[in-house]
Amino acid sequence: MTIDYSQFLSMSEEVSLLAVVLVLFIADLFTCGKEERALACATADGAEACGCSCCGHMRALLPVVLLLAQTIFILCNISTDAQAVNTAFGGMYESTGMMTALKATLNVGAIIVFLMSSKWLGAAENRIKQGEFYTVTLFTLLGMYFMISSGHFLMFFIGLELASIPMTALIAYDKKRTESAEAGAKFILLALFSAALLLYGISLLYGAAGTLYFSKMASMPVNLLSILGLVLFISGMGFKISLVPFHLWTADTYEGAPTPVTAFLSVISKGSAAFVLFTILAKVFGAGSGFFGLWSVGFFWIIVVSITVANLFAIRQKNLKRFMAFSAISQAGYLVLAVMGVTEQGMAALVFYLLVYLAANLGAFAVIHVIEQNSGKVGIDDYNGLYQTNPKLAFLMTLCLFSLAGIPPFAGFFSKFFVFMAAFNAGYYLLVFIALVNTVISLYYYLLIVKAMYIQKNDAPIATFTSDCGTRAALVLCTIGVILLGIVSAFYDGLSHLAGITL
């Protein structure tokens, strides 16, 4: 039996990302020499002696440049032809224009995370393992690529584990911090548990359908075996997306993980899982199958409980990272709202919502991270009077929070509008009404932070400081996204066209 290696040409996104990983891995071997030399660079004298002051900037800039080049490469390969569906390995791998657009979106998120991490990774305790952060993050991204392009449950599960296991290493990156190690332990244990549920569900579905190809499972009979498989599959995915009641790991993990990793986990990991959930429900359990009425009722209540519970618990939080964790759970409910009806409009709304959420949430985390790095403070009360000492950061944080709350004219308003419109057109009027009511509740707790920054008095506010270049670049990108994504209609129009090709 011979292997047709030309099939890898259909996987240009994955192959190009793997090439970026290899280049970074090799560059890390030679940049700044051996570990002893990197340690010597931890002092200013050492940096001058070995000429590594510019070396650190190159190590931070290289992954951004390479990933940006790879993003441009895959964007140039987006096909708008309805017949152009790349497949490989007997249909286990599929790629459409929408899938490529989503991969490019995740790349942009990873670039922003790399930019906001540059100063943190350049610290003495992180400089030696700086290269590992980039390679492990990109391996996680590669797993998400495989998930997105899967046409077979085996390919999907391989991608899921490739995305989940390196994520554990990122969460426990600050291994000397008890909170980081604890967060990593909680994440891996619950990830294993959810993966076991998911895999057991897939095995039941295989027993009912006799195949693992999405396209061939649509005719699967509705019986106890297949229904139990569907329930376990949704439960496993609920852990990945942080939907209630599968959300209990989220706040502790977000609080303990390094802030850039928390930002990556809250947006990029969640977005890829939500898209895959949409495609599998559409292809395997879609409107033409007997399963649609079963899972749509279940998701109705999951979405209602996720948005409501997360909003109520967010009001009680005093730590900003835990606050953003419950905000992420609520946003996951809105994100999955686009799944209801599994329509082309819903898919376009989901990807657009993810794009806007990426800009707003990463912008908020960039502000949290830079303040944490310069003051060590992450409490909401610590932000009292921030506008007096750091007005630019306070203003950018306000823009991001307004977008997350869905206040016009920021992009978050339009993303929520398109999601609500997709669910409304699918006939879920009551669900849209409940989501609208919860949007008002979310506005209240987002404004609590704005109130702290602009109105609350503080005798010892956070001192004035200057952000590093990487964080400033990340904040500029996020601000552009928050403002322009809602104004420039070409983004949503293009996604609507690609959604018609994918479904």
Side-chain angles (χ1 to χ4, degrees):
M1 180 179 179
T2 58
I3 299 177
D4 182 8
Y5 290 100
S6 63
Q7 295 184 92
F8 287 101
L9 297 177
S10 300
M11 306 172 66
S12 58
E13 298 97 344
E14 287 75 14
V15 172
S16 58
L17 181 61
L18 188 58
V20 171
V21 174
L22 291 175
V23 171
L24 286 176
F25 183 77
I26 294 172
D28 188 55
L29 291 176
F30 296 98
T31 305
C32 277
K34 298 181 179 179
E35 180 176 319
E36 291 81 2
R37 191 173 181 186
L39 281 171
C41 291
T43 64
D45 294 339
E48 258 183 60
C50 64
C52 287
S53 56
C54 61
C55 180
H57 296 298
M58 188 182 73
R59 295 180 76 191
L61 190 60
L62 182 61
V64 173
V65 172
L66 290 176
L67 194 56
L68 179 61
Q70 192 255 350
T71 305
I72 295 172
F73 169 73
I74 64 177
L75 282 174
C76 292
N77 290 333
I78 289 183
S79 175
T80 57
D81 184 0
Q83 305 301 321
V85 179
N86 293 326
T87 60
F89 305 108
M92 293 181 69
Y93 173 90
E94 296 178 351
S95 181
T96 63
M98 178 62 88
M99 294 174 181
T100 303
L102 180 61
K103 293 172 186 177
T105 301
L106 300 184
N107 276 15
V108 172
I111 290 171
I112 294 173
V113 171
F114 287 168
L115 287 171
M116 62 187 279
S117 305
S118 58
K119 181 179 179 181
W120 169 64
L121 291 172
E125 64 272 15
N126 294 327
R127 190 169 298 169
I128 295 176
K129 51 185 180 177
Q130 182 176 1
E132 285 85 345
F133 178 85
Y134 297 130
T135 53
V136 172
T137 302
L138 293 181
F139 270 120
T140 300
L141 197 61
L142 182 62
M144 296 174 194
Y145 276 23
F146 283 123
M147 286 172 57
I148 292 167
S149 290
S150 57
H152 188 279
F153 267 116
L154 182 59
M155 176 69 78
F156 158 73
F157 190 75
I158 291 172
L160 183 69
E161 291 306 290
L162 181 57
S164 299
I165 296 174
M167 182 63 72
T168 307
L170 291 176
I171 292 171
Y173 188 82
D174 288 340
K175 59 184 180 182
K176 294 182 180 180
R177 284 180 59 240
T178 304
E179 296 86 352
S180 184
E182 180 185 351
K186 288 181 178 178
F187 181 81
I188 190 61
L189 289 174
L190 288 171
L192 291 173
F193 179 67
S194 64
L197 287 179
L198 192 63
L199 192 58
Y200 187 41
I202 292 173
S203 66
L204 294 178
L205 293 173
Y206 175 72
T211 181
L212 289 175
Y213 282 97
F214 299 156
S215 58
K216 297 179 181 179
M217 297 180 72
S219 58
M220 178 173 39
V222 181
N223 52 37
L224 183 60
L225 191 66
S226 57
I227 292 174
L228 182 58
L230 172 61
V231 170
L232 292 175
F233 167 74
I234 292 175
S235 300
M237 292 302 293
F239 276 101
K240 305 301 179 184
I241 308 175
S242 301
L243 294 171
V244 177
F246 316 106
H247 69 293
L248 298 177
W249 61 273
T250 310
D252 291 340
T253 301
Y254 279 33
E255 182 182 12
T259 304
V261 177
T262 303
F264 185 88
L265 183 63
S266 69
V267 179
I268 301 171
S269 176
K270 190 187 304 295
S272 60
F275 179 84
V276 174
L277 175 65
F278 188 107
T279 55
I280 292 178
L281 289 177
K283 294 177 180 178
V284 181
F285 310 104
S289 71
F291 297 95
F292 180 77
L294 299 174
W295 68 257
S296 60
V297 172
F299 265 104
F300 179 98
W301 293 109
I302 288 175
I303 292 170
V304 169
V305 174
S306 295
I307 297 175
T308 306
V309 170
N311 284 346
L312 294 177
F313 274 82
I315 297 173
R316 302 173 53 191
Q317 302 307 310
K318 298 300 181 182
N319 182 288
L320 258 177
K321 292 173 72 173
R322 294 184 69 88
F323 172 90
M324 294 301 293
F326 285 103
S327 168
I329 295 169
S330 175
Q331 297 291 341
Y334 290 109
L335 193 63
V336 178
L337 182 61
V339 173
M340 305 299 290
V342 288
T343 60
E344 295 175 6
Q345 187 181 27
M347 174 170 280
L350 184 147
V351 178
F352 183 75
Y353 193 99
L354 174 62
L355 185 61
V356 173
Y357 177 56
L358 182 147
N361 211 52
L362 290 186
F365 270 111
V367 174
I368 294 171
H369 178 61
V370 71
I371 291 176
E372 181 184 13
Q373 287 295 297
N374 286 276
S375 68
K377 298 179 179 179
V378 290
I380 294 178
D381 293 338
D382 296 327
Y383 280 56
N384 292 347
L386 180 66
Y387 178 75
Q388 300 172 3
T389 54
N390 294 276
K392 293 180 180 178
L393 286 178
F395 177 71
L396 294 178
M397 185 69 163
T398 302
L399 292 184
C400 294
L401 293 174
F402 280 178
S403 183
L404 289 172
I407 297 177
F410 303 106
F413 168 78
F414 297 97
S415 64
K416 279 189 169 62
F417 173 78
F418 290 133
V419 166
F420 291 159
M421 186 170 62
F424 188 87
N425 289 338
Y428 296 96
Y429 311 123
L430 178 60
L431 183 58
V432 171
F433 174 75
I434 295 172
L436 282 169
V437 172
N438 274 279
T439 301
V440 178
I441 299 174
S442 68
L443 176 61
Y444 168 74
Y445 65 73
Y446 285 125
L447 287 177
L448 288 178
I449 301 178
V450 178
K451 176 185 176 183
M453 293 188 297
Y454 286 89
I455 299 176
Q456 296 286 66
K457 302 296 182 181
N458 193 346
D459 295 332
I462 295 172
T464 303
F465 60 85
T466 303
S467 305
D468 59 282
C469 295
T471 301
R472 285 201 294 268
L475 287 171
V476 167
L477 290 175
C478 292
T479 305
I480 291 173
V482 166
I483 295 174
L484 292 186
L485 286 173
I487 299 174
V488 181
S489 61
F491 290 102
Y492 182 76
D493 292 340
L495 292 173
S496 298
H497 177 69
L498 293 176
I501 298 172
T502 301
L503 287 181

